[in-house]
């Protein structure tokens, strides 16, 4: 079974020290201060804690976004105000800038780079600075991405958030990059208590089950492994979603990342993306982003299912050995009403086509063939 779920990264070496992370293709090796945490929600909470202690005010965030952004902002006392995007999840900069200018209570503005599609923020950073708002780039899905001008994700705002676990099969790891002198980096995170290590153990088991599923040729068996993997992730999430403490990534992740070949990973993902854009012609799939570009190294390629029930169509694809995921259950925070109808359309109809680095050229071609052949 082929899916966009990560699989366990092997341990490399004996050192448990957090590596220097030679992510040559990623925007984390820079002069500005970087802090590494176990989870992205903890990174965001700790980065904004001094600001919230002064005056939390209002946080402008896109209506379709992970709970890992909403939860720490609410825990810090910020008033959440959603703004609209297109069905492609890209924001209207003029509208957003107007919201900042018209509301003196705005203290935080969050921009999501959906599936690694980096948004050119134009004059928004200056608008935020002139009105005393902190501009945060959510780069959790854009770890290895650069825009069409060659700028890496996280180059435009005051803070940039990155996630390792959205892309890699390590048990934890997230970073916050401080790009503004208005926000001072907090002290280095501390080592992890036993209870949190046990929660991370559930996540490690989730990765191992995903790896076993990817190697399973029996469809029924693979579906059973998927259910077991989901159970382990839920057990992990039940603990991690409530924990905003300043904990460092685990020694296990350090050993996993020490053996990572980033250039090879990026090259394989780029080939897989190109295979989709050159070969996909299913009448039931519309790519969310019609044009590819060489700096885009996404977590997965998003597409909209059209003219057929998503659930039924995904089930038929799964019976052919390809699992198309969707980000729904933990991303459905949309307020009622028609104001966010485009985000609702994305939520209800999108699928994620896998392009992981462990999918070779032959397997990627097979995925595209399966997508094209299912009626």
């Amino acid at each position: 079974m082929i899916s966009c779920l990560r699989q366990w990264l092997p341990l490399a070496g004996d050192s448990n020290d957090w590596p220097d992370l030679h992510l040559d293709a990623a925007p984390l090796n820079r002069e500005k201060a970087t802090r590494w945490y176990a989870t992205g929600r903890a990174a965001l909470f700790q980065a904004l804690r001094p600001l919230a202690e002064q005056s939390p005010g209002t946080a402008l965030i896109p209506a379709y976004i992970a709970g890992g952004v909403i939860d720490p902002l609410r825990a810090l006392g910020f008033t959440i105000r959603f703004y609209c995007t297109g069905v492609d999840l890209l924001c209207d900069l003029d509208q957003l800038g107007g919201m900042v200018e018209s509301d003196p209570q705005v203290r935080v503005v969050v921009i999501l780079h959906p599936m690694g599609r980096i948004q050119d923020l134009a004059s928004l950073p200056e608008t935020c600075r002139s009105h005393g708002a902190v501009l945060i780039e959510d780069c959790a899905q854009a770890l290895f991405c650069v825009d069409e001008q060659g700028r890496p994700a996280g180059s435009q705002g005051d803070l940039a958030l990155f996630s390792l676990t959205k892309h890699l099969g390590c048990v934890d790891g997230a970073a916050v990059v401080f790009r503004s002198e208005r926000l001072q980096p907090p002290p280095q995170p501390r080592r992890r208590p036993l209870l949190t290590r046990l929660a991370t153990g559930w996540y490690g088991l989730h990765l191992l089950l995903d790896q076993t599923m990817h190697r399973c040729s029996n469809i029924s068996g693979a579906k059973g492994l998927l259910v077991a993997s989901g159970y382990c992730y839920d057990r992990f999430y039940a603990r991690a979603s409530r924990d905003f403490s300043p904990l460092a990534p685990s020694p296990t992740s350090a050993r996993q990342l020490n053996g990572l070949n980033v250039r090879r990973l990026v090259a394989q993902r780029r080939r897989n993306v190109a295979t989709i854009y050159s070969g996909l012609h299913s009448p039931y799939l519309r790519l969310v982003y019609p044009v590819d570009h060489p700096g885009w190294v996404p977590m997965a390629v998003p597409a909209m299912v059209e003219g057929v029930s998503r659930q039924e169509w995904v089930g038929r694809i799964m019976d052919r050995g390809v699992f198309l995921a969707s980000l729904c259950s933990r991303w459905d925070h949309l307020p009622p009403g028609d104001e966010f109808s485009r985000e609702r359309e994305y939520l209800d109809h999108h699928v994620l086509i896998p392009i992981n680095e462990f999918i070779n050229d032959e397997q990627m071609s097979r995925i595209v063939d399966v997508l094209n052949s299912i009626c």
Side-chain angles (χ1 to χ4, degrees):
M1 180 76 73
I2 303 174
S3 83
C4 63
L5 298 173
R6 277 73 62 198
Q7 64 181 22
W8 176 267
L9 277 176
L11 302 179
D14 298 324
S15 174
N16 290 334
D17 294 331
W18 189 244
D20 195 15
L21 281 189
H22 302 291
L23 300 181
D24 303 332
L28 297 174
N29 297 327
R30 56 179 70 190
E31 296 179 0
K32 300 297 183 182
T34 301
R35 291 290 184 271
W36 287 94
Y37 292 88
T39 67
R41 64 184 59 225
L44 180 58
F45 184 94
Q46 296 299 328
L48 292 182
R49 191 171 188 173
L51 180 65
E53 290 173 349
Q54 298 172 19
S55 174
T58 298
L60 296 178
I61 66 174
Y64 179 82
I65 199 164
V69 173
I70 297 175
D71 294 344
L73 288 172
R74 282 182 171 156
L76 286 167
F78 288 96
T79 300
I80 301 297
R81 183 181 176 192
F82 293 112
Y83 63 82
C84 297
T85 66
V87 72
D88 57 6
L89 306 182
L90 303 178
C91 67
D92 182 329
L93 292 175
D94 291 336
Q95 177 198 50
L96 185 54
M99 295 174 73
V100 175
E101 293 173 340
S102 64
D103 186 352
Q105 296 302 313
V106 172
R107 295 289 181 268
V108 170
V109 178
V110 177
I111 293 288
L112 172 67
H113 297 306
M115 287 298 143
R117 277 285 163 153
I118 301 174
Q119 305 194 61
D120 185 348
L121 303 184
S123 62
L124 184 62
E126 180 54 38
T127 300
C128 289
R129 278 191 291 270
S130 63
H131 289 79
V134 173
L135 180 58
I136 300 174
E137 293 183 73
D138 182 351
C139 307
Q141 301 175 356
L143 179 61
F144 302 111
C145 296
V146 299
D147 66 13
E148 296 184 31
Q149 288 75 47
R151 296 176 301 180
S155 299
Q156 303 172 80
D158 298 305
L159 288 177
L161 295 169
F162 296 89
S163 171
L164 296 184
T165 55
K166 294 288 191 299
H167 298 263
L168 306 172
C170 49
V171 297
D172 59 5
V176 55
V177 179
F178 292 79
R179 302 188 65 255
S180 170
E181 295 180 356
R182 292 188 297 155
L183 294 171
Q184 295 302 312
Q188 291 290 350
R190 63 178 186 267
R191 298 183 73 83
R192 305 157 64 80
L194 176 60
L195 189 59
T196 307
R197 293 202 300 270
L198 292 174
T200 305
W202 281 111
Y203 190 80
L205 184 55
H206 156 74
L207 293 174
L208 288 168
L209 287 168
D210 288 344
Q211 180 171 303
T212 305
M213 181 192 69
H214 291 146
R215 296 173 179 175
C216 182
S217 58
N218 179 278
I219 300 300
S220 177
K223 290 180 179 180
L225 289 167
L226 184 63
V227 171
S229 170
Y231 173 81
C232 292
Y233 183 84
D234 288 343
R235 294 295 299 269
F236 157 76
Y237 191 85
R239 169 65 187 179
S241 63
R242 304 191 304 268
D243 192 347
F244 306 122
S245 53
L247 302 176
S250 69
T252 300
S253 288
R255 294 182 61 192
Q256 290 175 304
L257 294 170
N258 274 315
L260 184 65
N261 188 322
V262 174
R263 291 187 181 278
R264 184 182 301 168
L265 176 152
V266 168
Q268 184 64 59
R269 285 185 174 236
R270 276 300 312 152
R271 288 200 302 273
N272 291 343
V273 172
T275 297
I276 292 172
Y277 274 80
S278 64
L280 185 67
H281 52 76
S282 168
Y284 302 109
L285 282 180
R286 174 176 57 83
L287 294 172
V288 172
Y289 307 110
V291 180
D292 182 25
H293 76 82
W296 187 39
V297 188
M299 192 176 81
V301 171
M304 302 292 282
V305 178
E306 298 182 327
V308 66
S309 162
R310 177 176 66 179
Q311 182 177 357
E312 293 179 5
W313 192 80
V314 166
R316 293 199 293 270
I317 294 290
M318 195 171 186
D319 289 338
R320 295 284 300 276
V322 178
F323 172 55
L324 300 180
S326 299
L327 295 178
C328 296
S329 61
R330 294 187 175 94
W331 288 67
D332 189 359
H333 310 282
L334 300 180
D338 297 332
E339 182 180 3
F340 302 103
S341 59
R342 289 168 293 187
E343 292 88 347
R344 174 61 63 185
E345 180 182 355
Y346 181 88
L347 183 71
D348 291 343
H349 297 284
H350 81 279
V351 292
L352 303 178
I353 305 173
I355 51 93
N356 307 63
E357 64 281 358
F358 49 78
I359 301 173
N360 61 35
D361 296 349
E362 180 180 351
Q363 291 171 322
M364 195 68 236
S365 295
R366 177 179 171 272
I367 291 174
V368 173
D369 289 342
V370 168
L371 297 179
N372 288 334
S373 66
I374 297 296
C375 299

